[in-house]
Amino acid sequence: MHDLANIGPTISVFELFSVGIGPSSSHTVGPMRAAAGFAARVADAGLLPRVARVRVDLYGSLAATGRGHGTFDAVAIGLEGDLPDRVDPAGASIRLAEQHTTGILRFGGAREVPFSIEDDVILHPLTMLPKHPNGMRFAAFDETGAELFGETSYSVGGGFVEREDEPAGAAAPGAALPLPFSTAAELLAQCRAEGLSFSGVMLRNEAARRPEAETRAGLLERAAVMRASVWSSADREGELPGGLHVRRRAARWLERLRAEDPDRDPARWQEWVNFVALAVNEENASGGRIVTAPTNGAAGIIPAVLDYALEYLPAYRGADDAVRDDATARFLLAAGAVGILYKTRASISGAEVGCQGEVGSAASMAAAGLAELMGGTPEQVENAAEIAMEHNLGLTCDPIGGLVQIPCIERNAIAAARAVNAAQMALWGDGSHHVTLDQVIDTMRETGRDMSHKYKETALGGLAVNVIEC
């Protein structure tokens, strides 16, 4: 867990909403980034020409469920220098097949060395490194077998990576933020003092990093990737990969919705929310391109609730592109403000705090974004975020077969509808409530600390052991 004495809103909204590939931000995106970073640092040290062999040791949850989560393939592609936001999923599959056939890895994209996932990726599922359950160690050796360069990294959720020599929760130094906050209470205080919404505070802080126009454009690009993942998924039928024989549903659901509800009657909103959430997570489960929001396992919730906002709130349904684009940016900024609190004060890693840290955080973020677009005050927005998480407390991470399919895909749909309800409940109140967002975040962190490791993405408990893989 993070040191609460040294945290703050140093994370950008674009770090919470990063483009990657499925099926897991902590088990696929993070390890790929860590492997690519390792290869780059070996090259920067001038050691690349001397490398004769590379070894990867995976610990804890990465080892226990890495096969189903795509960790092994992600590491192999990352060692060649590819990054999640740039790699083409189809091209990566071709390159992995070449690696398997030839037994050759292009380390750092240049140095050819022998490599086999079976021989050079070593698993330690029962060993937890002290800093985080998702630990990994990379090492490069010369022809004599001497280690040239080695480092230990951790995938701490949402695609974020920390190295052993970095303090927990550390972020790269950047511009001083004009409206800093490290708690929801401080965020509310900034809103009151400046007369701003959650999104307004976030936009002011992002402006310290880049021009406002670039922030808005970047957010719209993220939203476009979210939409693309929906339609890419809806174009495909059959089964998801992995051996569980889980059937894709998005294509058939869309066909039925278009036939039964072509004009999107507000009375049918939940069916469309379900469709978007399921589609995004089917795309994630198949290794497609998605946006971590704030993780891959919870990537369908925010797109589904954003779609609800744009299609069913009267202010945005049928509005011109400029109005809808502004709403999209504000939704993601408000959600991002809440996501920062979860990332810095607790965790968004299922391996660290269970699924409450992934699906719970995403639902809380989505509820905040929706409440703001519904015209909520900052107090009502904070209340919406609190309600959504309060009723996800204790949610376990117990994927069958270590795959991000059951219960993950349906869980996104259920949580998205819960986020809508949380926002609606908050808007029926005046913003005052007994449990604060800070209190529920602290409770989530403590609940995660107390939760058995069996329910933290290890596939050792819950549905993972009580449902036969078939």
Side-chain angles (χ1 to χ4, degrees), residues 172-449:
L177 302 183
L179 300 177
F181 61 89
S182 59
T183 66
E186 290 174 359
L187 173 58
L188 284 171
Q190 295 285 22
C191 290
R192 296 176 187 128
E194 301 293 325
L196 295 171
S197 61
F198 274 31
S199 68
V201 171
M202 277 295 291
L203 187 60
R204 188 82 64 84
N205 284 337
E206 292 295 326
R209 298 180 168 99
R210 70 191 73 81
E212 180 178 324
E214 288 185 17
T215 294
R216 290 183 176 275
L219 291 170
L220 295 180
E221 288 173 3
R222 297 297 195 274
V225 174
M226 291 178 182
R227 288 192 297 272
S229 68
V230 174
W231 305 120
S232 174
S233 181
D235 279 341
R236 292 184 281 174
E237 295 192 63
E239 293 183 352
L240 293 169
L244 290 183
H245 304 293
V246 175
R247 293 178 59 189
R248 296 177 182 269
R249 286 175 282 183
R252 293 189 179 185
W253 281 40
L254 179 60
E255 181 181 7
R256 179 174 174 179
L257 284 168
R258 282 174 168 169
E260 297 181 6
D261 185 32
D263 299 321
R264 298 197 64 162
D265 182 349
R268 300 288 298 272
W269 69 267
Q270 189 160 347
E271 286 94 333
W272 283 94
V273 165
N274 287 342
F275 159 69
V276 173
L278 291 171
V280 172
N281 276 80
E282 287 181 0
E283 186 70 4
N284 176 62
S286 61
R289 186 170 301 283
I290 52 87
V291 175
T292 61
T295 68
N296 285 34
I301 297 167
I302 283 174
V305 178
L306 175 57
D307 180 81
Y308 171 90
L310 296 177
E311 296 302 324
Y312 295 110
L313 297 185
Y316 311 113
R317 184 174 187 175
D320 61 35
D321 288 346
V323 171
R324 289 167 66 89
D325 287 351
D326 179 67
T328 297
R330 289 193 292 120
F331 181 100
L332 294 176
L333 286 165
V338 172
I340 284 171
L341 295 174
Y342 284 106
K343 176 69 181 73
T344 56
R345 294 192 61 80
S347 174
I348 56 173
S349 168
E352 192 172 18
V353 294
C355 198
Q356 59 174 358
E358 297 199 32
V359 160
S361 295
S364 184
M365 294 165 65
L370 178 59
E372 178 160 323
L373 293 193
M374 291 171 70
T377 65
E379 290 76 15
Q380 289 171 317
V381 171
E382 186 254 3
N383 189 197
E386 181 277 321
I387 292 171
M389 173 54 84
E390 183 178 341
H391 303 290
N392 276 294
L393 288 173
L395 193 62
T396 60
C397 185
D398 54 352
I400 297 174
L403 297 167
V404 189
Q405 296 179 17
I406 303 172
C408 318
I409 296 173
E410 288 182 355
R411 187 169 283 175
N412 273 250
I414 298 299
R418 182 172 288 178
V420 173
N421 194 25
Q424 292 171 336
M425 290 181 69
L427 266 292
W428 274 55
D430 61 5
S432 60
H433 47 286
H434 288 287
V435 181
T436 69
L437 180 56
D438 286 326
Q439 289 170 331
V440 84
I441 292 174
D442 290 345
T443 302
M444 187 268 273
R445 184 183 68 250
E446 293 163 4
T447 302
R449 182 183 291 119

